[in-house]
Amino acid sequence: LLRREAQKRRLQRQEQRAQRWLLRGDGDWGPRLEEYYCDLYGDATRCPLAELPANASNVLQTGGETRCIFDDSTPYAFQVVPGSASRLLVYFQGGGACFNEDSTELGLCSTDAAPYSPLDGILDPTDAKNPYVGYTVVIILYCSGDAHGGNVVRDYEVDGSSVVQVGQLNVQAALDWVAQQQDNGGLNAELDDLVMSGESAGSLGVQIWGADVAEQISAKRVKVLPDAFVGVFPETYTPQLIYDYGICPWFSTKAVREKCYALELLMPDITKDQLERLGDEVPYMSMSSKEDEVQIAFYESIVLTCGGSVDEVIGPAEFYDQANAIMEQYAPYNFVNFYVQSDVHTFTDEKYFWTASIYGEASRQLGSTHMLHVWVQSIDTELEVCEECSGAARSCEEGRGTQYCDEELAGNCAAQQPAPTEELALAAAAAAA
């Protein structure tokens, strides 16, 4: 499964490059925007937003110390779709993870900076249903294999190439450019709305970076939408893998930094720190499939490439139990989750965003309050969203399968501050569409 997923992403990137200049197709995909390139050469003052072509996908190559994982990978870049000066969507791209020599040789991570084309889900700037249509979109592309958090030169090579993982530097280069736009007037000095999201490894990225993005980009309102990868990883091996990414010095919270150095840090520790730093005014709206086959496969890949045994791998039911146990740790914060009864991996960058409900990824309950896209946009119209899940509320115990909802999460809600009048009107228009 992991090999197929890696091959699928490679084929997608090849298709994107081959089709880059084609017009929009038969309507089954989002728009293929014209693509323009601009070089920053390590200088965030270059390529100002006001001078980028509108209604286009702009690929800004960062230069400086940024790079993708291999010596022969593409130069690092991030993607910008210009829109409103007061509303910004920062999106972390996914693409697997390379966490040791075996996983890197297996090709379990994206190795080139490949812009999204076509743009679907919440990235589609032409779909009136999209709650973020009209936003300026900054997509932090992913080619470092480190969940956007690494800063390390590995002590091994793959196919004659050094392995350098500097996701930290890549993300910061994009954020420096955004901050410069607030300084030069391309974006408002204080945004009305800042939305952060990411899919797959990008979900881990937004869970690592969320509070730092909110601290660097001034905004009246902030919301976070992680898509998949709730953090179900084998606890025996994960602390070492986090440490090996070279991320420990980056953590600003002393307790998190110390746990990292002590080889005790797990993903829920990182996310709880983010929730505490973001505070009660920032809704944290997670979405996940109950039986996510890619998350389960990556759990297995960690076990088997770190010297574990087949007995340590998990199936859908145990994955779901562990995911619930993790989310119970987040429930005291301004956190809420939407569960889809499915094995599909991600939604926000897919057509599934419009069809997924608590009953499955391609629900026939269109228009129902249990639809994922309705749930996401309702935070702007209702100012509160609550846990969504299909099944009877029961205790989280092994052997129940996935047809239940954790009673500890039932009724859990997240709230958002009221928006300016203009923002409420825009949200209402999107809901009506």
Side-chain angles (χ1 to χ4, degrees):
L1 176 63
L2 289 164
R3 289 182 186 273
R4 289 200 302 270
E5 181 68 17
Q7 178 65 12
K8 175 184 173 183
R9 289 198 176 268
R10 281 195 291 271
L11 291 173
Q12 285 176 338
R13 291 198 300 274
Q14 292 170 7
E15 192 272 342
Q16 287 170 6
R17 289 170 178 169
Q19 301 292 330
R20 185 163 287 168
W21 298 100
L22 294 183
L23 297 175
R24 186 170 183 167
D26 59 6
D28 291 333
W29 302 96
R32 296 184 185 275
L33 302 180
E34 285 196 89
E35 202 162 87
Y36 298 89
Y37 282 77
C38 189
D39 289 317
L40 295 176
Y41 298 112
D43 182 359
T45 64
R46 293 178 58 85
C47 308
L49 180 62
E51 297 180 10
L52 298 181
N55 302 313
S57 170
N58 296 274
V59 181
L60 276 57
Q61 296 182 334
T62 48
E65 296 181 349
T66 66
R67 61 167 282 169
C68 295
I69 187 170
F70 294 141
D71 299 335
D72 59 353
S73 296
T74 63
Y76 183 71
F78 60 95
Q79 186 176 6
V80 179
V81 180
S84 170
S86 63
R87 294 171 290 144
L88 176 67
L89 168 61
V90 176
Y91 194 86
F92 288 75
Q93 186 182 45
C98 292
F99 42 85
N100 56 24
E101 187 170 3
D102 286 343
S103 63
T104 308
E105 289 182 343
L106 280 170
L108 300 188
C109 65
S110 298
T111 59
D112 292 329
Y116 283 106
S117 179
L119 295 165
D120 271 322
I122 66 172
L123 302 178
D124 186 345
T126 67
D127 193 330
K129 300 190 305 296
N130 183 1
Y132 309 119
V133 70
Y135 279 54
T136 290
V137 179
V138 174
I139 303 171
I140 299 177
L141 301 179
Y142 179 57
C143 57
S144 51
D146 55 10
H148 296 279
N151 190 9
V152 64
V153 178
R154 297 290 191 170
D155 60 1
Y156 50 81
E157 294 185 349
V158 172
D159 295 332
S161 171
S162 60
V163 179
V164 180
Q165 297 180 285
V166 290
Q168 286 179 33
L169 305 183
N170 297 345
V171 174
Q172 191 58 57
L175 297 181
D176 288 345
W177 180 86
V178 172
Q180 183 62 37
Q181 306 319 300
Q182 290 194 288
D183 289 342
N184 66 22
L187 292 171
N188 291 357
E190 184 179 36
L191 301 172
D192 286 337
D193 202 20
L194 169 62
V195 180
M196 290 174 274
S197 185
E199 49 92 8
S200 192
S203 174
L204 296 177
V206 79
Q207 291 176 67
I208 292 169
W209 278 91
D212 293 87
V213 174
E215 290 168 2
Q216 295 184 44
I217 301 175
S218 178
K220 296 173 184 175
R221 294 197 315 167
V222 179
K223 63 177 74 70
V224 185
L225 308 172
D227 178 7
F229 268 119
V230 69
V232 177
F233 298 116
E235 295 185 2
T236 303
Y237 312 105
T238 302
Q240 182 68 59
L241 300 181
I242 294 174
Y243 176 90
D244 290 345
Y245 275 138
I247 194 174
C248 295
W250 180 82
F251 291 117
S252 60
T253 301
K254 182 180 179 182
V256 176
R257 196 165 57 247
E258 289 177 345
K259 289 190 78 170
C260 186
Y261 281 120
L263 300 181
E264 298 173 351
L265 188 66
L266 298 170
M267 193 64 211
D269 299 316
I270 297 172
T271 303
K272 284 190 292 184
D273 176 60
Q274 291 286 309
L275 288 163
E276 289 176 359
R277 291 170 60 193
L278 287 166
D280 293 337
E281 295 186 354
V282 177
Y284 209 92
M285 301 167 58
S286 172
M287 59 201 78
S288 180
S289 285
K290 289 184 177 182
E291 303 179 7
D292 187 329
E293 64 178 4
V294 174
Q295 289 193 64
I296 295 169
F298 264 93
Y299 187 107
E300 180 176 347
S301 73
I302 291 173
V303 169
L304 298 181
T305 63
C306 291
S309 69
V310 175
D311 294 336
E312 297 176 68
V313 303
I314 61 174
E318 189 173 356
F319 165 78
Y320 181 54
D321 290 341
Q322 291 191 31
N324 282 327
I326 288 173
M327 291 187 195
E328 287 178 9
Q329 299 179 51
Y330 304 157
Y333 303 98
N334 198 21
F335 172 89
V336 70
N337 181 66
F338 190 105
Y339 263 131
V340 180
Q341 189 73 48
S342 174
D343 60 4
V344 166
H345 185 40
T346 64
F347 301 95
T348 52
D349 64 327
E350 302 275 357
K351 287 296 185 185
Y352 288 135
F353 182 71
W354 309 113
T355 62
S357 77
I358 59 175
Y359 307 110
E361 73 276 7
S363 174
R364 296 180 180 178
Q365 305 292 324
L366 297 177
S368 165
T369 56
H370 299 300
M371 298 294 294
L372 175 60
H373 73 93
V374 175
W375 181 80
V376 168
Q377 68 188 27
S378 66
I379 190 68
D380 290 321
T381 55
E382 305 298 328
L383 302 183
E384 183 181 73
V385 292
C386 297
E387 189 80 12
E388 288 280 1
C389 174
S390 67
R394 298 176 178 172
S395 62
C396 184
E397 298 176 0
E398 292 186 9
R400 292 193 182 277
T402 65
Q403 301 293 326
Y404 77 96
C405 299
D406 185 358
E407 64 183 12
E408 296 296 322
L409 298 174
N412 191 47
C413 299
Q416 179 172 251
Q417 296 298 306
T421 303
E422 178 188 359
E423 295 298 305
L424 283 173
L426 289 167

